[in-house]
Amino acid sequence: MAKVEWSAGIDSVSGALSKPSKKGQHSCAKMLLGTHRVAATMSDQCNRVYIRRKTKRSTPLSSRELLARGRFAAVSAAVKVRAKDLMQISQDQAAFLAQKDLADGKRTMKAYLWKVCGDEYDQQHGG
């Protein structure tokens, strides 16, 4: 991953900048991808460039990776539900504002909900 600054007049680029050739002798196995992050954040560094190889994973997923993926899916779903729960919104907003200016406080509502739901998941699953 590399941080990118585009030429004057170009704010962002998203998508494949170079694709591997499927024909001919020179069939490169790399793809150059440019991304522009649109998620809420405090950083102004939002352009990235990646080189993606055309190879498949050489090892199976470990149990730790499977647990991390399961946690991510569960917390993501919980955040989505909690953000729309009318019974919880006012309490969450008050708690968010109370912790926002603390040293270790979350600065966006979404980050706060990820922390809360992640902590609840960890407590339920002994993490």
Side-chain angles (χ1 to χ4, degrees):
M1 167 183 68
K3 295 178 184 172
V4 176
E5 189 172 319
W6 303 109
S7 296
I10 300 174
D11 294 329
S12 66
V13 174
S14 255
L17 302 173
S18 167
K19 291 183 180 181
S21 173
K22 294 181 182 179
K23 298 178 185 175
Q25 291 177 328
H26 184 71
S27 180
C28 182
K30 297 176 187 170
M31 177 185 274
L32 186 63
L33 295 171
T35 62
H36 179 76
R37 184 188 62 237
V38 294
T41 183
M42 301 303 291
S43 172
D44 61 351
Q45 303 291 324
C46 55
N47 292 311
R48 301 280 192 270
V49 172
Y50 300 88
I51 294 177
R52 190 168 120 195
R53 299 190 186 280
K54 196 171 115 178
T55 59
K56 292 188 179 183
R57 185 182 175 116
S58 62
T59 59
L61 292 172
S62 68
S63 59
R64 185 175 178 178
E65 288 173 308
L66 290 171
L67 289 173
R69 287 181 180 196
R71 181 185 187 277
F72 182 87
V75 173
S76 177
V79 167
K80 190 174 181 180
V81 169
R82 187 167 179 147
K84 295 179 181 179
D85 184 2
L86 298 176
M87 301 297 285
Q88 196 74 36
I89 288 176
S90 60
Q91 293 173 353
D92 284 341
Q93 287 175 341
F96 165 70
L97 291 174
Q99 63 84 47
K100 182 179 177 183
D101 295 326
L102 299 176
D104 60 344
K106 299 298 178 186
R107 293 185 177 178
T108 65
M109 185 67 170
K110 185 168 273 194
Y112 172 75
L113 290 176
W114 270 90
K115 181 183 181 332
V116 170
C117 293
D119 291 346
E120 288 175 1
Y121 179 90
D122 291 342
Q123 189 177 22
Q124 291 172 357
H125 294 86

